[in-house]
């Protein structure tokens, strides 16, 4: 199956700063997704990132706060901008890998973000 | 909008026992997928099992099986011969077959397997 890595694995940041999270896949995938998991909570989709087009954001998430890049079929970044303590969460990327099975998402290891 | 409900926040069983995790969902869609994901304390989300709504046969993956009741909108996960490594958060998730490939997750069930 596709191997998905994320950098950094964790970080502690000061409020008002920004952090860019990277998601790398070892094979080409069409669809990549970014989720947020707040402490003790379930996962919520932030946006869908397709190569060559603007990301599609879910209700409650805006591009100014969570800009996303998708420069090619194996890589994406999510930036958490102007951070506040409420942004403390685990951020996970996922991909659909049609070489395994379509309509199924596989997740990266996540980035644990703490904002002070 | 779709919703997914897991009514058991926590469960605990002894090793080798069988345990069933409950999940119900609400949707007006006819075609969709249902999933169970496992998130061990190390936090990597792992796909456990997948069910297509159009299939009447329940999915199975080794010790993991589901009881899919489409009319009742119920999708429970049965873990047989539970092992210590099964200790994790288990999330039930829904995805429409058409349109946006968005996973909608339940709140999760924390399962502990005791030696």
């Amino acid at each position: 199956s596709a191997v998905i890595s994320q950098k950094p694995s964790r970080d502690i940041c000061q409020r008002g700063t920004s952090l860019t999270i990277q998601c790398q896949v070892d094979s080409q995938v069409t669809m990549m997704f970014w989720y947020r998991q707040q402490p003790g909570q379930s996962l919520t989709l932030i946006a869908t990132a397709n190569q060559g087009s603007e990301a599609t954001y879910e209700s409650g998430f805006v591009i100014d706060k969570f800009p996303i890049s998708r420069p090619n079929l194996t890589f994406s970044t999510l930036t958490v901008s102007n951070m506040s303590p409420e942004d403390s969460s685990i951020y996970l990327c996922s991909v659909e890998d049609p070489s395994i099975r379509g309509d199924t998402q596989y997740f990266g290891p996540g980035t644990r973000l703490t904002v002070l | 909008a779709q919703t997914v409900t897991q009514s058991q926040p926590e469960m605990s069983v002894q090793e080798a026992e069988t345990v069933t995790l409950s999940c119900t969902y609400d949707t007006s869609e006819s075609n969709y997928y249902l999933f169970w994901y496992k998130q061990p304390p190390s936090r990597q989300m792992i796909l456990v099992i997948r069910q297509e709504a159009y299939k009447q046969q329940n999915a199975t993956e080794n010790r993991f099986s589901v009881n899919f009741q489409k009319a009742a909108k119920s999708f429970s996960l049965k873990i047989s011969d539970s092992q210590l490594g099964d200790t994790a958060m288990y999330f039930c998730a829904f995805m429409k077959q058409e349109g946006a490939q968005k996973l909608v997750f339940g709140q999760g069930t924390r399962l502990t397997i005791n030696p």
Side-chain angles (χ1 to χ4, degrees):
Chain A
S1 63
V3 176
I4 308 166
S5 60
Q6 287 186 233
K7 289 181 181 180
S9 59
R10 59 177 61 225
D11 207 343
I12 301 173
C13 301
Q14 297 296 320
R15 68 172 67 206
T17 63
S18 298
L19 176 71
T20 296
I21 302 167
Q22 300 178 4
C23 181
Q24 179 78 52
V25 190
D26 70 344
S27 59
Q28 294 185 341
V29 295
T30 303
M31 305 190 74
M32 297 180 77
F33 307 85
W34 288 98
Y35 288 82
R36 181 176 73 181
Q37 186 177 22
Q38 294 178 300
Q41 302 295 316
S42 186
L43 283 76
T44 301
L45 180 65
I46 298 171
T48 302
N50 294 329
Q51 193 265 340
S53 63
E54 294 288 328
T56 302
Y57 289 82
E58 295 298 305
S59 176
F61 297 97
V62 295
I63 187 171
D64 289 347
K65 176 67 175 178
F66 298 101
I68 288 172
S69 76
R70 181 79 198 273
N72 56 52
L73 292 175
T74 64
F75 186 78
S76 178
T77 67
L78 169 76
T79 299
V80 186
S81 303
N82 188 24
M83 288 183 286
S84 67
E86 291 70 35
D87 294 319
S88 297
S89 296
I90 298 173
Y91 292 86
L92 300 101
C93 71
S94 72
V95 306
E96 276 198 10
D97 187 347
S99 68
I100 304 173
R101 178 187 279 168
D103 296 320
T104 300
Q105 294 181 28
Y106 298 88
F107 285 83
T111 296
R112 182 181 295 272
L113 170 63
T114 301
V115 183
L116 302 178
Chain B
Q2 289 75 32
T3 59
V4 178
T5 302
Q6 293 178 249
S7 59
Q8 304 152 313
E10 294 188 22
M11 296 187 71
S12 178
V13 299
Q14 296 299 119
E15 194 175 8
E17 290 183 347
T18 295
V19 59
T20 298
L21 280 58
S22 301
C23 173
T24 59
Y25 58 95
D26 188 27
T27 184
S28 58
E29 301 287 328
S30 299
N31 299 313
Y32 49 88
Y33 303 96
L34 295 164
F35 306 86
W36 279 97
Y37 284 91
K38 167 185 177 181
Q39 188 177 40
S42 64
R43 122 175 140 253
Q44 176 103 38
M45 289 281 284
I46 302 167
L47 176 68
V48 176
I49 203 163
R50 174 184 187 262
Q51 175 80 43
E52 295 94 335
Y54 65 86
K55 289 187 176 179
Q56 292 187 344
Q57 186 174 4
N58 290 324
T60 62
E61 291 285 346
N62 301 313
R63 297 183 295 108
F64 299 87
S65 61
V66 298
N67 183 4
F68 173 48
Q69 302 289 328
K70 190 172 184 179
K73 296 180 181 175
S74 170
F75 183 62
S76 62
L77 174 70
K78 186 173 80 171
I79 305 173
S80 303
D81 186 26
S82 58
Q83 301 174 0
L84 296 179
D86 296 332
T87 293
M89 281 290 288
Y90 286 81
F91 292 98
C92 179
F94 170 100
M95 185 171 72
K96 292 193 299 184
Q97 185 169 337
E98 302 294 333
Q101 305 293 297
K102 170 184 177 180
L103 280 170
V104 177
F105 285 88
Q107 288 302 106
T109 295
R110 184 177 302 279
L111 176 65
T112 301
I113 309 299
N114 298 307

